[in-house]
Amino acid sequence: MTNQLMEVPTPAIPARRQARRDLVAALPWLLPALTLIVTIVLFPAGYLVWTSTRDVSPVGVDRGSAGFDNYVTLFDSPALGRVLLNTAVWVVGVVVVTVLVSMALAQFLDKAFPGRRLVRLAVIVPWAASVVMTATVFYYGLDPFYGVMNQFLIDLGILDTGFGFTRQPVPAFLVAMGVAVFVSLPFTTYTILAGLQMVPREVVEAASVDGAGPVRTYWSVIFPVLRPAIAVAVLINIINVFNSLPILRTLTGSIPGYDADTTTTLIFKYIQQDRQVETASALSVVNFVIVLAVIGIYLRVVRPMRDE
């Protein structure tokens, strides 16, 4: 009888043990990113929540636990309602106008015309310049006495005399919104322009041959392809605009009271002017929760990654 060598099957490694081995093998590569997340994101966030429950003196001395008293003080503030309304108007207004103008601008820049490269480079300028510098130019340009922009409006006959655009809450807030749109256009425009490069030209031509007009072609052929790019642009703009401080601080920071404030600028005023670090921490936590809620609702409703 011929002896047959039989291979003994190697016992399979349990799935959980294999998963642990894979995790341990990946840790050296993940450690730098995890360290950055813990030290730059999680620790400050945790410390912020902890500070919001402490009684902190104006000079920064921790005097013990305050429980939820800081949140009670925050929600008892008579200015909070106006500030929350300003924040909603600020975010919705800036993001909507930015996206609409960027869609039109991207459509224009996608066409072939002489000097297109120079125009595309010019669009980047507001993005390349410092936000504080841009806001400062508008602040002094709109000065009622020696502002170049104010004088230009007088020369055109739009104004009879210099108007203090940055001296009153509502005009200053509207100017700040305009500046925010101005500095947000480059990123949004180029994001949508990148999406336009993904539109198949033959499909657009086929729609035209089938008798579809420009509006019908845009909404039925082009817009569905642009949807992911627009969704990403809107999401990033919501986060940036919601947390924007330099523009409002530069253009409305000298106005007394809270009529031109958003939650972000109110946090700054609590710290710098009122020396209420604990109340500012409580508002920061509320701000963070609002941002997460808005983003969660947006992603739930829009679902930017779903298949068309």
Side-chain angles (χ1 to χ4, degrees), residues 253-275:
S254 60
I255 298 175
Y258 305 105
D259 289 341
D261 280 314
T262 63
T263 52
T264 302
T265 59
L266 183 59
I267 292 171
F268 187 82
K269 284 187 175 180
Y270 273 144
I271 296 175
Q272 187 183 53
Q273 297 181 7
D274 302 334
R275 303 296 180 184

Side-chain angles (χ1 to χ4, degrees), residues 83-104:
V83 169
L84 289 174
L85 177 60
N86 288 348
T87 304
V89 172
W90 166 258
V91 175
V92 174
V94 172
V95 173
V96 169
V97 174
T98 298
V99 171
L100 292 178
V101 175
S102 296
M103 289 174 65

Side-chain angles (χ1 to χ4, degrees), residues 42 55 163 260:
L42 296 182
D55 179 14
F163 181 76

Side-chain angles (χ1 to χ4, degrees), residues 288-306:
F288 183 67
V289 172
I290 293 174
V291 172
L292 288 182
V294 170
I295 293 174
I297 293 172
Y298 175 78
L299 293 177
R300 180 68 177 176
V301 173
V302 176
R303 296 181 181 179
M305 302 310 294
R306 71 181 177 187

Side-chain angles (χ1 to χ4, degrees), residues 41-54 56 70-71 267 271 277-289:
V41 179
L42 296 182
F43 174 75
Y47 187 75
L48 178 68
V49 174
W50 181 79
T51 305
S52 70
T53 62
R54 309 298 294 177
V56 183
N70 297 326
Y71 292 92
I267 292 171
I271 296 175
V277 178
E278 66 279 21
T279 308
S281 298
L283 182 54
S284 298
V285 174
V286 173
N287 221 27
F288 183 67
V289 172

Side-chain angles (χ1 to χ4, degrees), residues 8 28 73 80 107 119 161 187 195 204 211 240 277:
V8 179
T73 301
L80 185 62
Q107 194 70 27
V119 176
T161 183
F187 166 78
V204 177
N240 289 339
V277 178

Side-chain angles (χ1 to χ4, degrees), residues 19 106 113 131 147 192 242:
F113 59 88
V131 175
I192 298 175
F242 197 100

